[in-house]
Amino acid sequence: MSTTSLASGLPSPDHSPRLREALLAAAFTADGLLDLLGAPAYAALARSETVPALRATRGDGVLDVLVRLFLLQRPVAYERAGAALPLEECLADGWVVRDGDDVRATVDVRPYGGPQGQDWFIVSDLGCAVGGAGGASGHGEGVVLGVGGASTTLAGITVRTPVSSALDLGTGSGIQALHAAQHATRVTATDLNPRALHFVRLTLALSGAPEADLREGSLFEPVRQDTYDLIVSNPPFVISPGARLTYRDGGMGGDDLCRSLVQQAGDRLNDGGYAQFLANWQHVEGEEWQERLRSWVPRGCDAWIVQREVQDVTQYAELWLRDSGDHHGDPAAYAERYDAWLDEFEAQKTKAVGFGWITLRKSGSERPSIVAEEWPHPVEQPLGASVQAHFARQDYLRTHDDAALLAGHFTLAAEIVQEQVGLPGAEDPEHVVLRQNRGMRRATKVDTVGAGFAGVCDGTLSAGRILDAIAQLLDEDPVVLRDRTPQALRLLVEEGFLEPVRP
């Protein structure tokens, strides 16, 4: 085992290709797990319920052994482990240890399917793969978690164009760095927790991905003045009294950590680059949350801020007290900690906490586009292409006045359906709705003109010519119709229902 691994008490990646080969040969993959466990047990495992998976792995196959060893973290007989693994290398490197006649894992190894069907493995602390065997409850502040819903959300919304450089800030077990390695020439991963950096090394090696430049430190401190084409971060965004748990608590007052992260990102982005974060933010009495977030956006950057969920302060405190397992401990200690959360929120005049996504793009524009919206509805991941298209539409609208808009040509976006709503038997609908079946899955109400425009919008005629034809059909003044329609057209373009035809 390497000196670094011995010092950290974590496995060495020295023989990870041999281990990877064995895992793949046994079908220890996302698809292989589903086939072995069946859908109900597989879903139960995601809810931290292990009993169905234990029942499903009572066989003698090598996949049963690997699931019990690395996913369910149960000891397995030495002989059975030897049939499933290159056991001597795994013992030497510290992936497993011998305990009498048994072998047990030292880390959680979890199969993860990449976006192009890659077979990856996320390595984390025992019992701390989110949605895995036991969750994070009861673990110390240096714990390194596996993949959870927040991780996959960020991976799904990230813009995936080829770039020269990418930064995964607060990397954890390395899932974002692993994704970035597929389309970035150089990947830098940072974390305040040195254990996390070692887990990233293990995740990348076991997944067959290139090594990353690993740096220890807080926020942008480790990268100094380096700049990047892509920055991603699932930071410790929880707004809490103190910083008891490094993996989730920011350690700054209120939402200052997320604010600092966003504000400092502008100087670390190359022109045209993206910075994408998950974040929590306070809803403060007497202040609009949108204005609070707009004030975070650095100069020279466009921004798209999407609030996905809002919790009142009691819901929020209870969520994270459960996350840390406090509800299982001493009731008096639980009540004391709950009280401390509410004291903190009261002192900061916080009435609720929002959760969502923040995307910055370095545009250098003197008239930046900053969109802050609430969207709690279902979306279809991955959304990286939708994020990129959002900013492209903002560029178009920023550079086209009403006259240019009417002179432009548009097509109806793919997979838009029209719904007509009204009383049964009525001659005309009460209103018409356009609905997207992909991406953000937006819906918008349109009038007769908007519905007619969308219906014939195939890029052949300019917007003005289409409106003139509609005016003739409706016996309206074409000049008046041209004057009152651009605002509605802008909304349809901004929300992705209409796509400009580029010359």
Side-chain angles (χ1 to χ4, degrees), residues 243-310:
R244 189 161 58 104
L245 299 173
T246 304
Y247 72 87
R248 68 168 205 193
D249 298 328
M252 297 185 184
D255 51 21
D256 281 355
L257 183 136
C258 292
R259 176 186 55 79
S260 298
L261 188 60
V262 173
Q263 288 180 335
Q264 294 173 21
D267 291 335
R268 304 320 198 284
L269 278 177
N270 295 326
D271 290 343
Y274 289 89
Q276 299 186 262
F277 313 103
L278 299 186
N280 275 181
W281 46 81
Q282 294 162 278
H283 285 224
V284 179
E285 291 179 16
E287 182 180 1
E288 293 294 330
W289 73 266
Q290 294 94 333
E291 292 307 311
R292 183 181 187 84
L293 272 291
R294 287 190 182 101
S295 72
W296 294 5
V297 178
R299 182 181 296 275
C301 288
D302 297 331
W304 186 18
I305 300 160
V306 182
Q307 181 166 272
R308 295 287 289 158
E309 184 180 359
V310 181

Side-chain angles (χ1 to χ4, degrees), residues 73-237:
Q73 289 135 36
R74 297 296 196 274
V76 300
Y78 182 88
E79 293 77 11
R80 295 187 68 193
L85 294 168
L87 190 53
E88 295 310 311
E89 287 97 332
C90 288
L91 285 166
D93 286 352
W95 291 95
V96 297
V97 293
R98 187 162 185 175
D99 185 7
D101 293 332
D102 293 329
V103 168
R104 55 184 176 82
T106 62
V107 290
D108 183 300
V109 178
R110 193 153 300 253
Y112 179 86
Q116 277 81 50
Q118 302 100 322
D119 289 314
W120 292 340
F121 300 96
I122 310 302
V123 187
S124 63
D125 270 313
L126 290 173
C128 292
V130 178
S137 300
H139 291 272
E141 65 172 31
V143 66
V144 178
L145 298 185
V147 178
S151 303
T152 56
T153 293
L154 179 59
I157 67 173
T158 300
V159 175
R160 296 295 176 194
T161 53
V163 294
S164 296
S165 57
L167 169 64
D168 176 13
L169 192 152
T171 183
S173 56
I175 179 59
Q176 309 305 329
L178 181 55
H179 274 280
Q182 311 308 303
H183 63 102
T185 304
R186 174 173 58 89
V187 176
T188 301
T190 71
D191 206 288
L192 183 63
N193 182 2
R195 280 174 58 79
L197 297 179
H198 195 86
F199 274 112
V200 176
R201 187 177 290 111
L202 297 174
T203 289
L204 294 175
L206 198 56
S207 298
E211 292 184 7
D213 177 10
L214 305 178
R215 304 187 190 184
E216 182 182 341
S218 177
L219 299 180
F220 289 104
E221 183 182 278
V223 302
R224 298 177 291 279
Q225 300 305 312
D226 294 350
T227 58
Y228 301 87
D229 301 313
L230 174 67
I231 299 171
V232 293
S233 184
N234 176 18
F237 52 65

Side-chain angles (χ1 to χ4, degrees), residues 100 134 218 238 245 290 307 316 335 368 393 420 429-430 438-439 496 502:
S218 177
V238 177
L245 299 173
Q290 294 94 333
Q307 181 166 272
Y316 189 80
R393 293 193 298 268
Q420 297 187 163
E430 293 178 15
R438 291 289 182 267
R502 308 291 176 172

Side-chain angles (χ1 to χ4, degrees), residues 256-467:
D256 281 355
L257 183 136
C258 292
R259 176 186 55 79
S260 298
L261 188 60
V262 173
Q263 288 180 335
Q264 294 173 21
D267 291 335
R268 304 320 198 284
L269 278 177
N270 295 326
D271 290 343
Y274 289 89
Q276 299 186 262
F277 313 103
L278 299 186
N280 275 181
W281 46 81
Q282 294 162 278
H283 285 224
V284 179
E285 291 179 16
E287 182 180 1
E288 293 294 330
W289 73 266
Q290 294 94 333
E291 292 307 311
R292 183 181 187 84
L293 272 291
R294 287 190 182 101
S295 72
W296 294 5
V297 178
R299 182 181 296 275
C301 288
D302 297 331
W304 186 18
I305 300 160
V306 182
Q307 181 166 272
R308 295 287 289 158
E309 184 180 359
V310 181
Q311 290 186 323
D312 68 48
V313 292
T314 60
Q315 292 175 308
Y316 189 80
E318 290 162 14
L319 169 67
W320 294 110
L321 287 167
R322 286 195 302 272
D323 170 80
S324 54
D326 288 297
H327 62 309
H328 291 311
D330 175 31
Y334 173 81
E336 184 178 349
R337 281 187 171 149
Y338 197 151
D339 230 10
W341 283 71
L342 297 186
D343 284 344
E344 183 89 356
F345 286 134
E346 185 176 341
Q348 296 172 353
K349 298 184 178 179
T350 301
K351 57 183 180 179
V353 177
F355 168 81
W357 321 324
I358 300 175
T359 299
L360 306 178
R361 186 191 57 163
K362 187 72 169 286
S363 65
S365 175
E366 293 298 319
R367 295 188 298 121
S369 163
I370 302 177
V371 176
E373 62 173 324
E374 187 162 12
W375 191 255
H377 312 294
V379 299
E380 182 174 286
Q381 290 273 33
L383 280 170
S386 298
V387 171
Q388 193 173 11
H390 166 88
F391 288 99
R393 293 193 298 268
Q394 295 301 319
D395 284 344
Y396 178 88
L397 294 171
R398 183 163 46 201
T399 56
H400 287 70
D401 60 16
D402 287 355
L405 196 68
L406 292 174
H409 294 239
F410 301 89
T411 58
L412 189 66
E415 301 203 46
I416 302 292
V417 297
Q418 176 178 301
E419 300 173 358
Q420 297 187 163
V421 181
L423 294 173
E427 184 175 343
D428 296 312
E430 293 178 15
H431 58 262
V432 176
V433 173
L434 300 181
R435 187 178 301 277
Q436 301 169 352
N437 282 331
R438 291 289 182 267
M440 293 294 285
R441 291 183 170 174
R442 297 187 188 275
T444 188
K445 189 189 298 186
V446 294
D447 60 12
T448 304
V449 173
F453 188 96
V456 299
C457 212
D458 61 1
T460 305
L461 298 175
S462 69
R465 292 284 301 277
I466 293 174
L467 290 177

